[in-house]
């Protein structure tokens, strides 16, 4: 069965206490169909199991039943896993991720599998967000305040999970796209380099770039320090050491690196370490 989740008009869920799986399922649908409506009014079925109906083209489908029509090795699918198979392409596209295969694997391991283990095997320790989602269920506080609308609490839980999903996808974007960004930063530094001095726009694992291209002309690498100032690092401290000078505010005892307070001083320190003639005003 192929479902166009963009055409879903409404989702109907069980009333009463809701699970992380249900919340994640709705949040995933909302990624590609932000105007989706939902209502929690269905009672548990005769087997005391959940139902999750969707309305598409004036037809009703029970996704719990559809998700588990084909059971392999006695393993059922969680709603989150089932819906992810339908929305994953739109999800990856939304975040402009080019390495789709890697992104899908990360989504599976960091989001889908964790929800599924919780829903099917009660593996709470693998999914700490579960405890926070549970807190959105109505309890004595809501009763004393006269709040009896479970839809309101479910809506808040969905908003919470949407934020979690957003941050998870930002994390996955960085993991999948970071190498491409690092390559761009390195190539820019290589293009603008002089005398083997590479000034990086941002701190990246430049050693990977050297391993990838052992014939690189880089001798000294400069980039912003997390503690302020600029790091001046020798590509190979056995061949070239960072020399002590007034341009540096700190130098490591092994002289593989030093720190300058300004970019100009960092470049001068690198030139001094390479034995180059320094420009004087």
């Amino acid at each position: 069965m192929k479902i166009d989740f963009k055409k879903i008009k409404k989702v109907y869920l069980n009333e009463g206490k809701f699970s992380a799986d249900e919340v994640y399922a709705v949040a995933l649908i909302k990624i590609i169909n932000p105007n989706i409506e939902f209502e929690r009014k269905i009672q548990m079925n005769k087997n005391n199991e959940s139902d999750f109906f969707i309305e598409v083209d004036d037809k009703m489908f029970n996704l719990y039943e559809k998700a588990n029509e084909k059971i392999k090795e006695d393993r059922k699918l969680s709603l989150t896993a089932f819906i992810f198979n339908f929305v994953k392409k739109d999800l990856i596209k939304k975040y402009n991720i080019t390495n789709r295969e890697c992104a899908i694997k990360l989504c599976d391991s960091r989001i889908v599998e964790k929800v599924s283990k919780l829903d099917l095997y009660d593996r709470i320790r693998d999914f700490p967000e579960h405890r926070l989602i549970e807190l959105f269920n109505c309890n004595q506080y809501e009763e004393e305040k006269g709040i009896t609308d479970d839809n309101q609490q479910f809506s808040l839980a969905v908003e919470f999970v949407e934020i979690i999903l957003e941050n998870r996808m930002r994390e996955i974007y960085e993991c999948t796209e970071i190498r491409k960004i690092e390559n761009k930063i390195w190539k820019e530094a290589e293009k603008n380099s002089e005398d083997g001095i590479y000034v990086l726009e941002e701190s990246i694992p430049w050693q990977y770039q050297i391993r990838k291209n052992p014939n690189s002309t880089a001798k000294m690498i400069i980039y912003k320090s997390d503690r302020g100032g600029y790091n001046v690092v020798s590509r190979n401290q056995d061949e070239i050491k960072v020399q002590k000078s007034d341009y540096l505010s700190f130098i490591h005892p092994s002289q593989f690196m030093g720190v300058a307070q300004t970019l100009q001083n960092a470049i001068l320190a690198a030139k001094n370490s390479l034995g180059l003639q320094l420009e004087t005003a």
Side-chain angles (χ1 to χ4, degrees):
M1 178 193 71
K2 186 170 183 178
I3 301 172
D4 186 349
F5 280 82
K6 294 179 182 177
K7 292 184 178 180
I8 296 178
K9 295 180 180 179
K10 199 166 186 177
V11 174
Y12 298 91
L13 307 100
N14 289 111
E15 60 186 7
K17 189 174 181 179
F18 50 81
S19 68
D21 187 33
E22 292 171 301
V23 178
Y24 264 86
V26 172
L28 279 174
I29 296 174
K30 286 190 70 176
I31 286 173
I32 60 173
N33 191 345
N35 297 319
I36 189 74
E37 297 180 5
F38 56 84
E39 187 173 347
R40 304 182 63 252
K41 68 175 185 178
I42 304 171
Q43 294 183 350
M44 301 293 278
N45 60 33
K46 60 183 180 181
N47 296 321
N48 199 33
E49 295 175 346
S50 298
D51 285 315
F52 190 101
F53 285 91
I54 57 172
E55 183 180 340
V56 183
D57 295 330
D58 298 322
K59 295 180 180 179
M60 298 288 284
F61 300 93
N62 186 343
L63 282 196
Y64 264 119
E65 290 181 357
K66 295 297 180 183
N68 294 293
E69 279 180 347
K70 297 179 180 179
I71 300 175
K72 297 181 180 180
E73 298 177 1
D74 296 326
R75 293 183 62 187
K76 293 185 178 182
L77 280 176
S78 67
L79 270 175
T80 301
F82 181 68
I83 292 173
F84 178 71
N85 288 328
F86 287 95
V87 306
K88 58 188 176 185
K89 290 183 179 179
D90 292 280
L91 180 62
I92 302 305
K93 184 178 179 180
K94 177 183 177 182
Y95 289 91
N96 299 315
I97 297 175
T98 56
N99 192 342
R100 295 182 179 182
E101 185 177 345
C102 180
I104 289 172
K105 288 181 179 178
L106 288 172
C107 285
D108 266 327
S109 63
R110 299 187 181 187
I111 302 172
V112 179
E113 286 182 9
K114 290 187 176 182
V115 178
S116 296
K117 286 179 180 178
L118 169 69
D119 185 59
L120 304 178
Y121 310 114
D122 203 26
R123 292 283 293 275
I124 295 174
R125 69 176 183 274
D126 295 331
F127 193 67
E129 293 100 315
H130 159 72
R131 294 296 190 193
L132 297 174
I133 294 170
E134 273 197 332
L135 291 175
F136 284 93
N137 279 286
C138 287
N139 57 23
Q140 188 67 27
Y141 174 82
E142 278 76 27
E143 290 182 10
E144 291 179 359
K145 294 289 184 180
I147 301 173
T148 57
D149 185 5
D150 287 344
N151 280 326
Q152 180 180 341
Q153 292 303 113
F154 185 82
S155 179
L156 291 173
V158 171
E159 290 177 16
F160 172 69
V161 168
E162 284 181 297
I163 294 171
I164 294 176
L165 277 174
E166 174 74 21
N167 286 311
R168 290 289 189 200
M169 292 309 300
R170 286 173 56 244
E171 179 185 56
I172 289 170
Y173 174 88
E174 183 172 289
C175 290
T176 56
E177 304 296 302
I178 193 68
R179 194 65 76 191
K180 183 172 66 175
I181 296 170
E182 290 171 356
N183 290 340
K184 183 179 178 181
I185 291 172
W186 182 259
K187 286 180 180 179
E188 190 67 22
E190 184 177 50
K191 177 183 175 182
N192 299 322
S193 66
E194 292 183 7
D195 303 315
I197 300 173
Y198 281 44
V199 180
L200 305 178
E201 182 182 348
E202 294 181 35
S203 174
I204 62 171
W206 55 267
Q207 296 89 340
Y208 167 79
Q209 300 292 337
I210 298 293
R211 288 195 299 271
K212 188 173 72 171
N213 182 14
N215 296 321
S216 170
T217 60
K219 296 177 181 177
M220 304 289 289
I221 295 91
I222 297 172
Y223 53 91
K224 285 184 179 179
S225 170
D226 293 336
R227 299 180 179 181
Y230 291 82
N231 289 335
V232 182
V233 185
S234 171
R235 169 183 172 175
N236 187 338
Q237 70 180 83
D238 294 330
E239 295 180 2
I240 303 172
K241 294 188 180 295
V242 176
Q243 301 298 318
K244 295 180 181 179
S245 69
D246 292 337
Y247 304 118
L248 297 173
S249 57
F250 168 81
I251 186 168
H252 194 273
S254 66
Q255 294 182 259
F256 83 95
M257 63 85 68
V259 179
Q261 292 305 306
T262 65
L263 177 58
Q264 181 181 7
N265 278 353
I267 294 173
L268 290 171
K271 287 184 175 182
N272 178 64
S273 298
L274 292 172
L276 300 174
Q277 184 175 357
L278 304 181
E279 296 179 5
T280 55

